[in-house]
Amino acid sequence: MSDTSANLLRLDNLYKSFGSLVVTKDVNLTVDRGERHALIGPNGAGKTSLVHQISGQLRPTSGRIFFCGEDITGASPDEIGQRGIGRTFQKNNLFRQLSMRENVRLALQAKRGNWYSFLRPASADRALLDEVDAILTQVRLADGRDRLVANLSYGEQRQLEVALALASQPRLLLLDEPTSGMSPAETERMIDLVQSLPAELGVLLIEHDMKVVFTLAHTITVLYYGEVLATGKPDAIRDNPRVREVYLGLGH
Amino acid sequence: MTTGSPPSPRTTAIWIACIVALGLVPLTGTYVTGLAAEILIFAIFAMSLDLLIGYTGLMSFGHAAFFGVSTYTMVILGVHLGWSGWIGFAAGVAMSTIAAFVIGFFAIRVSGIPFLMITMAFAQLLMSISVKWRSVTGGTDGLSGFQRPTLFGLSLENRVTQYYVVLVGFLLVLFFLRRLIASPLGSIFIGIKENEQRMLAAGYPVQRFKLIAFTLAGALAGIGGGLYGLHNAFVSSDILHWSLSGDAIIMVILGGAGTIIGPIFGSAAFLLLKNVVSSHTHYWLLWVGTIFILCVMFLPQGLWGFLRQRFGRRPPP
């Protein structure tokens, strides 16, 4: 099963339509171990729909999704999470009435098991809490870890999104617009954070900010009306006339 | 959710004072003791429902089913087969647990209003069985003649013995729920209520845990129902009526959903209103309704949430 030459993620002719609206049209795409792959395209290009299909929220109409060489097409979101695909959401999607620590602890516990323990307090698991703190440090959330999420700043919530995805100890991380709505300083911090992620982790990144894309990405795929317009190294994408025409714009 | 830190001496003192006070209730006479037993029984019922409404985010409108199945099982086994109330109690809780598992299995497939309707429909189904199957259940007239069991030679016909049995059951359920909510399993229930989609993405099989919560809540409601059987020695189809499920929802929200203590306050407030106001006017439900509306408008966190905000410095026990 563990064919080391296989791609971490491979999409084979993925196709998804809602009635006559086609949001994903024959998409082929691969992400390898350690690759930072950016997915760009204008609004409505089908980027988030693609992430939803990979993470199991949406079922593709046809085509296959392979993760570590195994077919995961149509698997449920929790099964896909257990297999090692972690994701963040475009809009912050956290446990708002729980503390920062408890948010990460829940995500970590999903991987660690001990789910059915019902008489010992969850807080008695010191080792787990130490790991929680290590993850929060990793995403640069240092202070006030017992604050409720509802009381965090927007940027902090964005960072916590990444913490939750990392807590599920993924081999592939799907980042859906991690810097959307962030200030330039917060964006810098997010770039720094993604660069500091483990080298063997594969990352599929949806992003509108071209500075972020060209700083981080090894490979860029451009989606346009659900279709792959181009895939390649950042320089090739930058110089691609079609891409410049439909997306990057000549003024950029 | 800061849980598990050892309770402060002040908190421990308050707990001990409350338990001692509950232990002294029988000194006040038979009427108050009987009322207190009823409050504690419905507190168990409301706490079990709060596990669904307040902690797992499942708005069940058929919780009376699991209360009633237990009472019926106990009284039917006692009256028709002459089984001891204690065996009947165990059988009742077991039947409630099974009923909750089966009903939950179908109900958790949907959420929101459809979930509410399905749980209510199942409860109504059980009620029509209890109404129609007169030879066994006594129908709307009910089934009397249940012989209460004895405990260490003390008869449960005695109000005081009854009360202490109820109190022990109440304390066991209370401390079980406190443990549960602070545990890893409890944290999963809370996570589902907070954000089901995120729980799925993290890798939790959410449906399985909803079913566990539903079954557990049914089992705890069954303990309440069994104690109710010991307390009343009578059962009729009223116990499965949807209005009892509604009463439990009112108790939970009135007292404070998503807290352990809230539903106890809710049960006490509801039953005191019922007993005090109904001795003055037939329209006592009007007052309950008015107070409920005012509570929802002005005390959205319930009585306990309000008291805690007002006087408490610490996170909820």
Side-chain angles (χ1 to χ4, degrees):
Chain A
M1 277 295 172
S2 59
D3 177 9
T4 47
S5 70
N7 303 111
L8 191 58
L9 177 75
R10 193 175 92 233
L11 308 184
D12 261 6
N13 290 318
L14 208 64
Y15 189 94
K16 173 73 186 173
S17 63
F18 297 99
S20 61
L21 176 69
V22 180
V23 293
T24 305
K25 194 172 177 190
D26 301 324
V27 168
N28 290 290
L29 183 150
T30 62
V31 181
D32 290 325
R33 273 182 191 79
E35 184 182 342
R36 306 287 135 97
H37 193 132
L39 195 59
I40 65 173
N43 287 323
K47 304 182 296 293
T48 295
S49 302
L50 198 64
V51 167
H52 280 327
Q53 289 171 74
I54 299 168
S55 63
Q57 261 91 8
L58 271 182
R59 208 191 170 90
T61 311
S62 65
R64 304 269 109 199
I65 302 169
F66 295 92
F67 179 63
C68 296
E70 288 177 50
D71 190 344
I72 59 162
T73 320
S76 61
D78 55 306
E79 190 193 333
I80 289 173
Q82 288 296 344
R83 277 171 180 263
I85 298 184
R87 69 164 296 182
T88 68
F89 291 82
Q90 187 175 2
K91 291 173 76 179
N92 290 332
N93 194 0
L94 302 157
F95 307 106
R96 288 182 60 79
Q97 296 306 317
L98 304 181
S99 73
M100 204 191 269
R101 267 204 181 92
E102 178 63 7
N103 267 261
V104 179
R105 199 197 62 77
L106 264 175
L108 200 55
Q109 179 182 269
K111 261 296 165 58
R112 286 298 146 78
N114 199 25
W115 292 349
Y116 303 102
S117 160
F118 64 94
L119 288 176
R120 277 171 61 80
S123 57
D125 193 343
R126 295 305 314 174
L128 195 70
L129 291 180
D130 288 344
E131 277 185 78
V132 167
D133 283 341
I135 291 170
L136 285 171
T137 306
Q138 192 184 354
V139 300
R140 289 133 176 85
L141 283 169
D143 344 293
R145 288 170 174 174
D146 289 319
R147 278 178 298 162
L148 295 190
V149 167
N151 299 335
L152 301 181
S153 75
Y154 177 81
E156 286 173 317
Q157 294 189 22
R158 270 340 257 152
Q159 283 162 274
L160 191 58
E161 273 284 331
V162 180
L164 291 205
L166 286 177
S168 53
Q169 299 176 314
R171 283 183 281 178
L172 173 69
L173 186 59
L174 309 173
L175 297 175
D176 195 349
E177 295 198 31
T179 70
S180 73
M182 277 187 160
S183 69
E186 288 169 332
T187 301
E188 283 298 331
R189 211 173 333 152
M190 185 60 79
I191 291 176
D192 188 40
L193 198 171
V194 175
Q195 279 175 329
S196 73
L197 292 175
E200 69 281 4
L201 183 69
V203 178
L204 182 63
L205 167 82
I206 294 184
E207 188 53 68
H208 278 298
D209 186 330
M210 286 307 122
K211 177 166 181 277
V212 178
V213 169
F214 285 103
T215 310
L216 292 174
H218 305 148
T219 318
I220 297 176
T221 294
V222 185
L223 273 189
Y224 188 61
Y225 288 109
E227 275 183 280
V228 174
L229 189 73
T231 297
K233 299 266 174 261
D235 287 343
I237 294 295
R238 207 191 320 248
D239 298 334
N240 184 315
R242 282 281 288 145
V243 174
R244 293 177 71 93
E245 186 188 327
V246 306
Y247 184 56
L248 292 178
L250 297 171
H252 270 269
Chain B
M1 285 293 134
T2 29
T3 41
S5 48
S8 71
R10 177 171 162 269
T11 314
T12 314
I14 292 177
W15 275 103
I16 291 172
C18 288
I19 293 169
V20 169
L22 285 173
L24 295 178
V25 164
L27 296 177
T28 57
T30 330
Y31 173 73
V32 175
T33 308
L35 179 58
E38 204 171 317
I39 288 175
L40 294 181
I41 289 168
F42 281 96
I44 294 175
F45 184 39
M47 283 191 286
S48 72
L49 179 62
D50 193 28
L51 180 62
L52 297 180
I53 294 182
Y55 286 105
T56 319
L58 296 172
M59 192 64 184
S60 168
F61 197 29
H63 210 51
F66 313 118
F67 190 80
V69 160
S70 173
T71 318
Y72 261 115
T73 305
M74 171 190 246
V75 175
I76 287 172
L77 289 177
V79 172
H80 293 305
L81 303 177
W83 287 22
S84 147
W86 296 119
I87 297 172
F89 185 91
V93 175
M95 285 299 286
S96 288
T97 311
I98 294 166
F101 181 82
V102 172
I103 293 174
F105 181 81
F106 294 102
I108 57 155
R109 270 140 225 280
V110 291
S111 49
I113 300 291
F115 178 84
L116 187 145
M117 297 307 289
I118 287 191
T119 50
M120 186 173 116
F122 272 109
Q124 289 298 97
L125 185 75
L126 288 173
M127 189 181 104
S128 17
I129 294 173
S130 79
V131 171
K132 299 284 178 197
W133 200 10
R134 294 186 59 88
S135 58
V136 174
T137 64
T140 46
D141 299 335
L143 198 57
S144 49
F146 176 73
Q147 286 294 315
R148 295 189 183 90
T150 58
L151 182 68
F152 308 127
L154 295 166
S155 169
L156 258 70
E157 299 295 334
N158 179 322
R159 278 275 178 223
V160 175
T161 320
Q162 265 172 39
Y163 174 80
Y164 282 115
V165 168
V166 170
L167 180 59
V168 168
F170 166 78
L171 291 174
L172 286 176
V173 171
L174 175 61
F175 286 105
F176 170 78
L177 276 171
R178 268 169 60 84
R179 284 271 171 148
L180 174 68
I181 291 310
S183 75
L185 183 60
S187 74
I188 294 173
F189 296 155
I190 295 169
I192 292 173
K193 186 202 174 199
E194 279 290 312
N195 191 337
E196 188 174 333
Q197 190 189 32
R198 180 55 101 168
M199 288 299 274
L200 277 170
Y204 288 108
V206 163
Q207 293 299 87
R208 188 191 305 167
F209 287 100
K210 282 185 179 175
L211 184 55
I212 291 172
F214 200 86
T215 309
L216 262 177
L220 295 175
I223 292 176
L227 293 172
Y228 190 71
L230 292 175
H231 179 65
N232 268 17
F234 172 78
V235 65
S236 78
S237 57
D238 283 350
I239 205 172
L240 290 170
H241 198 268
W242 64 265
S243 64
L244 190 67
S245 302
D247 289 352
I249 294 178
I250 291 179
M251 290 174 193
V252 168
I253 294 173
L254 198 62
T259 65
I260 306 278
I261 307 293
I264 305 171
F265 277 74
S267 163
F270 187 91
L271 291 174
L272 287 174
L273 274 174
K274 179 176 167 180
N275 277 272
V276 175
V277 182
S278 68
S279 63
H280 296 289
T281 164
H282 284 305
Y283 304 114
W284 67 276
L285 267 171
L286 183 72
W287 292 99
V288 171
T290 310
I291 288 170
F292 180 66
I293 292 169
L294 291 175
C295 251
V296 171
M297 285 172 72
F298 299 110
L299 307 175
Q301 293 176 304
L303 292 172
W304 174 242
F306 172 73
L307 289 174
R308 217 170 62 199
Q309 250 174 14
R310 202 63 209 283
F311 304 107
R313 273 152 278 174
R314 295 176 186 288

